Amino acid sequence: MQKKIILPLTDADLDSLKAGDRVLLSGTVYTARDAAHKRMVDQEKEGIPFPIDVADQVIYYTGPTPAKPGEVIGSAGPTTSGRMDLYTPRLLEKGLKGMIGKGYRNEEVKAAIKKHRAVYFGAVGGAAALIARSIKAVEVIAYEDLGTEAIRKLTIENFPVFVINDVHGGDIYEQGVAQFRQDH
């Protein structure tokens, strides 16, 4: 069974989500990859505020390809999330509530997810064209000079993800390894 969630994430949503849950997200998410994360954090150190208010928002780690004629967006698959680990704790401190990507997060990020009550969702790599069908509108918000790595506002509908790390400290990767060891 898939849970359907309308963004932004509420405390009740966060409490109900467990590692391994399949979720369909609808609402607004922002894109940002490593270049945008680095610029945001570097500029903040210089006293320049983030170009978006990350409080209660979800960031999707993707650098979408240009849209073909008649399409809203090109391929929009997830980027390896570990590239953002250096910057993620700061964004979580500022109120970020969700991230979408692929792959493991480091221990500092997992601790920050639990401490700041956020969730890390996984999107399926290799399904970028399918994922793009869930994206209904796109608007460049900041750092247009970064090309595909510019920060974009996406309007999504039934965007398929699964919970990798939850607010309770659950980690689907750790649980999967433990289950495999128990079964074998």
Side-chain angles (χ1 to χ4, degrees):
M1 183 175 118
Q2 292 181 318
K3 295 181 178 186
K4 288 189 172 199
I5 293 180
I6 305 295
L7 299 171
L9 292 164
T10 65
D11 285 338
D13 292 330
L14 292 167
D15 286 335
S16 75
L17 293 171
K18 305 281 187 275
D21 285 351
R22 295 181 349 196
V23 182
L24 295 173
L25 298 174
S26 296
T28 298
V29 298
Y30 292 90
T31 69
R33 284 183 36 162
D34 28 332
H37 277 73
K38 180 178 183 348
R39 188 176 291 179
M40 283 193 298
V41 171
D42 287 351
Q43 286 182 336
E44 185 191 35
K45 290 176 185 172
E46 297 171 7
I48 301 168
F50 289 167
I52 57 171
D53 181 1
V54 298
D56 300 321
Q57 298 302 321
V58 174
I59 291 180
Y60 179 29
Y61 304 144
T62 188
T65 63
K68 294 178 183 170
E71 295 182 358
V72 173
I73 196 167
S75 183
T79 297
T80 302
S81 302
R83 294 176 181 165
M84 276 53 74
D85 282 359
L86 180 63
Y87 313 106
T88 299
R90 180 64 187 136
L91 273 71
L92 292 169
E93 286 173 17
K94 300 278 281 181
L96 183 67
K97 289 299 175 191
M99 298 145 291
I100 304 169
K102 67 179 181 181
Y104 295 89
R105 303 312 296 265
N106 70 27
E107 292 303 319
E108 183 182 4
V109 170
K110 290 192 286 186
I113 286 169
K114 190 173 177 183
K115 177 181 178 181
H116 298 290
R117 298 188 41 77
V119 64
Y120 169 47
F121 296 106
V124 177
L130 181 62
I131 287 171
R133 293 183 195 164
S134 298
I135 301 169
K136 304 304 179 186
V138 180
E139 177 186 357
V140 174
I141 299 296
Y143 309 151
E144 190 167 6
D145 62 299
L146 295 178
T148 61
E149 291 203 37
I151 295 177
R152 289 172 170 76
K153 178 181 177 180
L154 305 182
T155 302
I156 59 173
E157 185 178 303
N158 293 324
F159 188 96
V161 295
F162 60 96
V163 178
I164 296 177
N165 299 108
D166 62 38
V167 299
H168 313 287
D171 183 320
I172 192 62
Y173 295 130
E174 291 175 5
Q175 293 167 1
V177 169
Q179 184 66 47
F180 178 81
R181 287 189 175 137
Q182 179 183 330
D183 293 347
H184 299 290

